[in-house]
Amino acid sequence: MEDFEYYMKNNKVKAIVLQVDSPGGSVVSCEEAFSYLKELKEKYNKPIIASFRGVAASGGYYLAMIADKIYANETTLTGSIGVISQFINVSELIQAIGIKNYTIKSGKNKDSFSPFRAPREDEIAYWQSMTDEFVAQFTNVVLTSRGDRIKGNYSELFDGRVFSGKSAQKYGLVDNIGTLRDAIKDAAEMVNLNAEEPNIITKPVNKSNILNYLLAKAPMINTSFKYPYEEIINGQYIGVPMYLYIPNYIGE
């Protein structure tokens, strides 16, 4: 967000190309980021072109709704408009090996979706209603940004499925098939700059950021940065609604 703010406030920057290579993340993170991007765009009114790489799905697609135009490669995976919450249940396992669990709680929903007991039907219905609420927020953002460009059955386009870049263009989820270079050229043309040789402005990197980059690339500790869903596996996001496309994709 600091980087985006830097480019928006910089008077030398006439247009922004936002490269997206992400399967998404938590609902709150995506909404906070999008809200701030929208605030900056309304204040500084600069054209934004999004360029999709390997994956721009779920929350990655959500953030791209700030763009005036979207480019994708034909083989980009995008879409996945939806919400997912995952829970682990080991109640049958602990029963089989003779472990007993005792929970002291203030209300019947205080241990909602506890891994130590089977979920009740009313719990499942409650979480589904909350999921429907979150996905309505997502689809509203998409329709507000691209409603007049989307073609097709909303119930199918917004059911969480992913699309290739080529199919996404067909349904109006993206505007053009092209590379980052194509997006840069288009952004330059939008603000009457030299499209063939635009001056691309890069934010200066401070020393602490350089150090973090080098540490992240160091072979000795590289494994600590390697797995993108470590937070899910170690339980940090179990039970947390996510705008996330699940397959194990490591973006750049």
Side-chain angles (χ1 to χ4, degrees):
M1 303 315 300
E2 290 177 1
D3 289 343
F4 205 92
E5 186 175 26
Y6 169 85
Y7 293 117
M8 279 299 219
K9 289 182 176 181
N10 190 331
N11 291 329
K12 293 181 179 179
V13 175
K14 305 304 179 185
I16 292 176
V17 176
L18 175 65
Q19 191 175 47
V20 183
D21 193 8
S22 170
S26 74
V27 167
V28 172
S29 296
C30 294
E31 289 185 359
E32 284 189 345
F34 179 80
S35 177
Y36 188 54
L37 291 178
K38 185 178 178 183
E39 181 182 319
L40 287 172
K41 191 167 189 285
E42 290 173 351
K43 184 175 182 180
Y44 296 100
N45 193 30
K46 295 181 180 182
I48 300 172
I49 304 287
S51 174
F52 290 173
R53 293 202 69 195
V55 169
S58 205
Y61 185 76
Y62 189 109
L63 290 186
M65 293 302 97
I66 197 65
D68 300 291
K69 193 180 293 185
I70 299 174
Y71 278 78
N73 293 292
E74 284 194 359
T75 53
T76 296
L77 288 181
T78 189
S80 189
I81 299 168
V83 181
I84 185 170
S85 302
Q86 292 190 316
F87 301 87
I88 292 175
N89 191 281
V90 296
S91 58
E92 293 185 10
L93 173 63
I94 64 174
Q95 186 177 13
I97 59 179
I99 296 176
K100 292 185 180 296
N101 171 67
Y102 297 94
T103 301
I104 311 301
K105 56 186 180 180
S106 58
K108 72 174 185 177
N109 289 312
K110 194 61 181 174
D111 68 339
S112 183
F113 272 97
S114 167
F116 305 118
R117 63 170 178 79
R120 303 186 310 269
E121 289 298 322
D122 65 299
E123 284 178 292
I124 296 173
Y126 174 76
W127 273 90
Q128 184 60 59
S129 68
M130 189 159 53
T131 298
D132 293 343
E133 179 184 336
F134 293 147
V135 78
Q137 166 69 15
F138 195 161
T139 55
N140 181 61
V141 167
V142 174
L143 290 174
T144 299
S145 176
R146 305 189 58 83
D148 58 340
R149 287 175 275 187
I150 291 179
K151 308 162 190 173
N153 188 325
Y154 289 174
S155 64
E156 293 180 356
L157 296 178
F158 300 156
D159 69 354
R161 72 183 69 187
V162 292
F163 300 89
S164 68
K166 189 174 182 179
S167 293
Q169 183 190 31
K170 172 184 174 183
Y171 294 118
L173 296 176
V174 306
D175 299 292
N176 299 94
I177 297 299
T179 64
L180 174 63
R181 175 62 189 163
D182 294 321
I184 292 172
K185 183 177 180 179
D186 196 348
E189 290 176 344
M190 288 178 70
V191 289
N192 300 315
L193 296 177
N194 184 345
E196 296 303 324
E197 296 182 5
N199 179 26
I200 300 174
I201 296 173
T202 303
K203 180 184 176 184
V205 180
N206 62 43
K207 291 182 179 179
S208 63
N209 285 343
I210 293 174
L211 178 61
N212 289 336
Y213 175 80
L214 292 175
L215 288 174
K217 294 296 181 182
M220 288 181 62
I221 61 170
N222 188 49
T223 53
S224 64
F225 297 91
K226 189 173 182 181
Y227 201 82
Y229 299 119
E230 181 181 351
E231 294 90 348
I232 296 175
I233 289 173
N234 68 23
Q236 182 177 344
Y237 287 117
I238 289 177
V240 177
M242 307 283 284
Y243 290 143
L244 182 68
Y245 174 54
I246 287 297
N248 179 20
Y249 177 73
I250 302 175
E252 294 186 35

